[in-house]
Amino acid sequence: MTQCMLLAVDGSQGGDRALEYSIAQVKDRGIKLVVAYVIEWSPYSFNTPEENAERHKRREGEISRAKKTIIDPAMEKLAGHNIKAESIVRHGAPVETLNELAKKHNVDQIVIGRRGQSGIKSLLFGSVAGSLIQTSEVPITVVP
Amino acid sequence: MHRFILPLLLSLLFITSAHAGIDEAINNMTKPIAVLIGQIVFFKIPIFGAQLPVVVLWLVAGAVFFTFYMGFVNLRGFKHAIQLVRGDYADPDSAGEVSHFQALATAVSGTVGIGNIGGVAVAVTVGGAGATFWLIVAGFLGMSTKFVECTLGVKYRNENPDGSVSGGPMYYLKKGFADRGMEGFGKFIGTFYAIGIFIGALGIGNMFQSNQAYVQLNHVTGGALDGLGWLVGLVLAAVVFSVIIGGIKSIAKVTEKVVPFMAVFYCLFALIVIFLNYATIPQAVANIFTGAFTGEGVTGGALGAMIIGFQRAVFSNEAGIGSASIAHAAVRTDEPVTEGYVSLLEPFIDTIVICTITALVIGTSQVADPSFAGDAKGIAMTSLAFERQFSWFPYPLAFAAILFAFSTMISWSYYGLKGWTYMFGEDEKGQTIYKVIFCGFVALGCMVQLGPLLDISDALVFLICVPNILGLYFLAPVVRAEMNSYLARLESGEIKKFK
């Protein structure tokens, strides 16, 4: 029996469809929904000293922008449905970070949308959903 | 804003393009200044036939003291430093802030510069192979000095209302002394340091870099750029201008990405050259050790070699100058000591690894022998050493040198800026004035010859060691208390490992 579900959103249409799907799955069933957005970031990049000095300010900006444009609209949609929900914005590598969050919140299912990339594009940029399927320790639902 | 930048730039252009003979005029102008500053800063005391600059003694004494006082943190903290850089202790909740790796990489690209290629050659020419040994020793001891200064840099930094941070020796000198009831003195040496780092940023972090980049360019083009220093200088200045004033981040981004790659590339080829010269490895290593203690053929003997080695090590890894603490202060961490640990690795990478490799390339190629090298000096000598194995190597080396020079200039432009804003406030307009001055000196650096230029640069850097190390002595107990408390919490498990 699913107790807690992790929904990965990214502001794309795929993410929106995943949201709709999740709402249908969890509503009125007492399942907790963790809505997560990962801001792509690597601790191993190279910066100038000036960038380092401004990093904190930038980070705050990135987080508040993500909340405003991605998380808040998603939470609004959830609000009318009697759903226990929590939201998270986190910096990191998307796949790794989502796996970490799933573990931390004792999630027993992850829901993610897909972008529908094909051919060279998906070869070049990979796909978060695809890699997540390969690495996740809990079942995943990919919403087309 | 542009009303005053444009005339400044135009006058700079006018001065530099007046005619190529300007090189000589500037040289004549700077020489007496170099001699004067050199005499004051490098006041020497004769000791056993060698000339010992008091300031070198000051630095080494400091490094030895901190090594003992911190209980050989340079050895014992090494493993923890690696764990921190690997992110073992990074709290995922604060992901997105400057990581330890980034802080280290930024500081290292500020210190890995032409000194690692050219400076070592200078040391070997003047101080013999034995200078290398002392260079390594100085690098090892310098790790402790770095630990102290970078911990303090974070502990006493200023957090600006806009969320950005300003830190470095001027801040820890001012606040640290004020904490101990010496407010007036703290203010005085804080300002003294700020002036020093500002001028130093124009010397070691600027003119020396652009000068050596020009020398190397001229060398690979077979002297085609003779007398055209002003032109190269102008181009370099324009690129620096576009990054620090024009805000063209992409250039800086590319450089910061390419520099680590170049450093690895450089070390790799250096190792190949050393390997190909395998027949002379035993001799080269033996020379380093015997030279260190006999100082054969070196003015002042073993002590002479030691002094040269120490001097070059500081010039390369900047331990004791305090500059790296400005870069490390930008990191958000609740534990200032962690930045200290991470910074230990800088002298290690810079001096113990890269400088030693360069010294071995020169040693095994036997280019320091006058009958081989002719009059090749500085970076030209290192280039010659590589050339004997790979005839094409001077080209990528020139490219690497220019990139190293460039990234060092970008880093130092920030250090100088922090000195400037400490004195004149965080006002935008003032910052732009500083940056324009900085670019002017980039151009100037290509116009003066190595001699007086290196002297001025050296002297200024050593000058700011005086207030900095004085402050480090006073504040060392603070750092030790921080370190012990941190280690205790690490031991008890209060500080958690996340990986």
Coordinates of all heavy atoms in Angstrom, one line a residue, chain B residues 194-229:
Chain B
A194 N 45.1 46.4 3.2 CA 44.2 46.6 2.0 C 45.0 47.4 1.0 O 44.9 47.1 -0.2 CB 43.0 47.4 2.5
I195 N 45.8 48.4 1.4 CA 46.6 49.1 0.4 C 47.6 48.2 -0.3 O 47.8 48.2 -1.5 CB 47.4 50.3 1.1 CG1 46.4 51.3 1.7 CG2 48.4 51.0 0.1 CD1 47.0 52.4 2.6
G196 N 48.2 47.3 0.6 CA 49.2 46.4 0.1 C 48.7 45.4 -0.9 O 49.3 45.2 -2.0
I197 N 47.5 44.8 -0.6 CA 46.9 43.8 -1.6 C 46.5 44.5 -2.8 O 46.6 44.0 -3.9 CB 45.8 43.0 -0.9 CG1 45.4 41.8 -1.8 CG2 44.5 43.9 -0.7 CD1 46.2 40.6 -1.5
F198 N 46.1 45.8 -2.7 CA 45.7 46.5 -3.9 C 46.9 46.7 -4.8 O 46.9 46.4 -6.0 CB 45.1 47.9 -3.5 CG 45.0 48.9 -4.6 CD1 44.2 48.7 -5.6 CD2 45.9 50.0 -4.6 CE1 44.1 49.6 -6.7 CE2 45.8 50.9 -5.6 CZ 44.9 50.8 -6.6
I199 N 48.0 47.2 -4.2 CA 49.2 47.4 -5.0 C 49.8 46.0 -5.5 O 50.2 45.9 -6.6 CB 50.3 48.2 -4.3 CG1 49.7 49.5 -3.9 CG2 51.5 48.4 -5.1 CD1 50.6 50.3 -3.0
G200 N 49.7 45.0 -4.6 CA 50.2 43.7 -5.0 C 49.4 43.1 -6.1 O 49.9 42.4 -7.0
A201 N 48.1 43.4 -6.1 CA 47.2 42.9 -7.2 C 47.7 43.5 -8.6 O 47.5 42.9 -9.6 CB 45.8 43.3 -6.9
L202 N 48.3 44.7 -8.5 CA 48.7 45.3 -9.7 C 50.1 44.7 -10.1 O 50.5 44.8 -11.3 CB 48.8 46.8 -9.6 CG 47.5 47.5 -9.2 CD1 47.7 49.0 -9.1 CD2 46.4 47.2 -10.3
G203 N 50.8 44.1 -9.2 CA 52.2 43.6 -9.4 C 52.1 42.1 -9.7 O 52.0 41.7 -10.9
I204 N 52.2 41.3 -8.6 CA 52.3 39.9 -8.8 C 51.1 39.3 -9.5 O 51.2 38.4 -10.3 CB 52.4 39.2 -7.4 CG1 52.6 37.7 -7.5 CG2 51.2 39.4 -6.5 CD1 52.7 37.0 -6.2
G205 N 49.9 39.9 -9.3 CA 48.7 39.3 -9.8 C 48.4 39.9 -11.2 O 47.4 39.6 -11.8
N206 N 49.3 40.7 -11.7 CA 48.9 41.4 -12.9 C 50.1 41.6 -13.8 O 50.3 40.9 -14.8 CB 48.3 42.8 -12.5 CG 47.7 43.6 -13.6 OD1 48.2 43.4 -14.7 ND2 46.8 44.4 -13.4
M207 N 51.0 42.6 -13.5 CA 52.1 42.9 -14.4 C 53.0 41.7 -14.6 O 53.4 41.5 -15.8 CB 52.9 44.1 -13.8 CG 52.1 45.4 -13.9 SD 53.3 46.8 -13.9 CE 53.9 46.7 -12.2
F208 N 53.3 41.0 -13.6 CA 54.2 39.8 -13.7 C 53.6 38.8 -14.7 O 54.2 38.2 -15.5 CB 54.5 39.2 -12.4 CG 55.3 37.9 -12.5 CD1 56.6 38.0 -12.9 CD2 54.7 36.7 -12.2 CE1 57.4 36.8 -13.0 CE2 55.5 35.6 -12.3 CZ 56.8 35.6 -12.7
Q209 N 52.3 38.6 -14.5 CA 51.6 37.6 -15.3 C 51.5 38.0 -16.8 O 51.9 37.2 -17.7 CB 50.1 37.4 -14.8 CG 50.0 37.1 -13.3 CD 50.6 35.7 -13.0 OE1 50.6 34.8 -13.8 NE2 51.1 35.5 -11.8
S210 N 51.2 39.3 -17.0 CA 51.0 39.7 -18.4 C 52.4 39.7 -19.1 O 52.6 39.4 -20.2 CB 50.3 41.0 -18.6 OG 51.0 42.0 -18.0
N211 N 53.4 40.1 -18.3 CA 54.8 40.2 -18.8 C 55.3 38.8 -19.2 O 55.8 38.7 -20.4 CB 55.7 40.7 -17.7 CG 57.2 40.8 -18.1 OD1 57.8 39.7 -18.1 ND2 57.6 41.9 -18.6
Q212 N 55.1 37.8 -18.4 CA 55.5 36.5 -18.7 C 54.8 35.9 -19.9 O 55.3 35.1 -20.7 CB 55.5 35.6 -17.5 CG 56.6 36.0 -16.5 CD 58.0 35.5 -16.8 OE1 58.3 34.3 -16.6 NE2 58.8 36.4 -17.4
A213 N 53.5 36.2 -19.9 CA 52.7 35.7 -21.1 C 53.3 36.3 -22.4 O 53.4 35.6 -23.4 CB 51.2 36.1 -20.9
Y214 N 53.6 37.6 -22.4 CA 54.2 38.2 -23.5 C 55.6 37.6 -23.9 O 55.8 37.2 -25.0 CB 54.4 39.7 -23.3 CG 55.3 40.4 -24.2 CD1 55.1 40.4 -25.6 CD2 56.5 41.0 -23.7 CE1 56.0 41.0 -26.5 CE2 57.4 41.6 -24.6 CZ 57.1 41.6 -26.0 OH 58.0 42.2 -26.8
V215 N 56.4 37.4 -22.9 CA 57.7 36.8 -23.1 C 57.6 35.4 -23.8 O 58.3 35.1 -24.8 CB 58.5 36.6 -21.8 CG1 59.7 35.7 -21.9 CG2 58.9 38.0 -21.2
Q216 N 56.6 34.6 -23.3 CA 56.4 33.3 -23.9 C 55.9 33.4 -25.3 O 56.3 32.6 -26.2 CB 55.5 32.5 -22.9 CG 55.2 31.1 -23.4 CD 56.5 30.2 -23.4 OE1 57.5 30.6 -22.9 NE2 56.4 29.1 -24.0
L217 N 55.0 34.3 -25.5 CA 54.4 34.5 -26.9 C 55.5 34.9 -27.8 O 55.6 34.4 -28.9 CB 53.4 35.6 -26.8 CG 51.9 35.2 -27.0 CD1 51.1 36.5 -27.0 CD2 51.7 34.4 -28.3
N218 N 56.4 35.8 -27.4 CA 57.5 36.3 -28.2 C 58.4 35.1 -28.5 O 59.0 35.0 -29.6 CB 58.2 37.4 -27.5 CG 59.0 38.2 -28.4 OD1 58.8 38.2 -29.6 ND2 60.0 38.9 -27.9
H219 N 58.7 34.3 -27.5 CA 59.6 33.2 -27.6 C 59.1 32.2 -28.7 O 59.9 31.8 -29.6 CB 59.7 32.5 -26.3 CG 60.7 31.3 -26.3 ND1 62.0 31.4 -26.5 CD2 60.4 30.0 -26.3 CE1 62.6 30.2 -26.5 NE2 61.6 29.3 -26.4
V220 N 57.8 31.8 -28.7 CA 57.3 30.8 -29.6 C 57.2 31.4 -31.0 O 57.2 30.7 -32.0 CB 56.0 30.2 -29.2 CG1 56.2 29.3 -28.1 CG2 54.9 31.2 -29.0
T221 N 57.0 32.7 -31.1 CA 56.9 33.3 -32.5 C 58.3 33.7 -33.0 O 58.4 34.4 -34.0 CB 56.0 34.5 -32.5 OG1 56.5 35.5 -31.4 CG2 54.6 34.2 -32.2
G222 N 59.3 33.2 -32.3 CA 60.7 33.5 -32.8 C 61.1 34.9 -32.7 O 61.8 35.4 -33.6
G223 N 60.6 35.7 -31.8 CA 61.0 37.1 -31.6 C 60.2 38.0 -32.5 O 60.6 39.2 -32.7
A224 N 59.2 37.5 -33.1 CA 58.4 38.4 -34.0 C 57.7 39.5 -33.3 O 57.3 40.5 -33.9 CB 57.3 37.6 -34.8
L225 N 57.6 39.4 -32.0 CA 56.9 40.4 -31.2 C 57.8 41.4 -30.5 O 57.4 42.1 -29.6 CB 55.9 39.8 -30.3 CG 54.8 39.0 -30.9 CD1 54.0 38.1 -29.9 CD2 53.8 39.9 -31.6
D226 N 59.1 41.3 -30.9 CA 60.1 42.2 -30.2 C 59.6 43.6 -30.3 O 59.3 44.1 -31.4 CB 61.4 42.0 -30.9 CG 62.3 40.9 -30.3 OD1 61.9 40.5 -29.1 OD2 63.2 40.4 -30.9
G227 N 59.6 44.3 -29.2 CA 59.2 45.7 -29.2 C 57.8 45.9 -29.4 O 57.3 47.1 -29.4
L228 N 57.0 44.9 -29.5 CA 55.6 45.0 -29.6 C 54.8 44.7 -28.3 O 53.6 44.4 -28.3 CB 55.0 44.1 -30.8 CG 55.5 44.5 -32.2 CD1 55.0 43.5 -33.2 CD2 54.9 45.9 -32.5
G229 N 55.5 44.8 -27.2 CA 54.9 44.5 -25.9 C 53.7 45.3 -25.7 O 52.7 44.8 -25.2

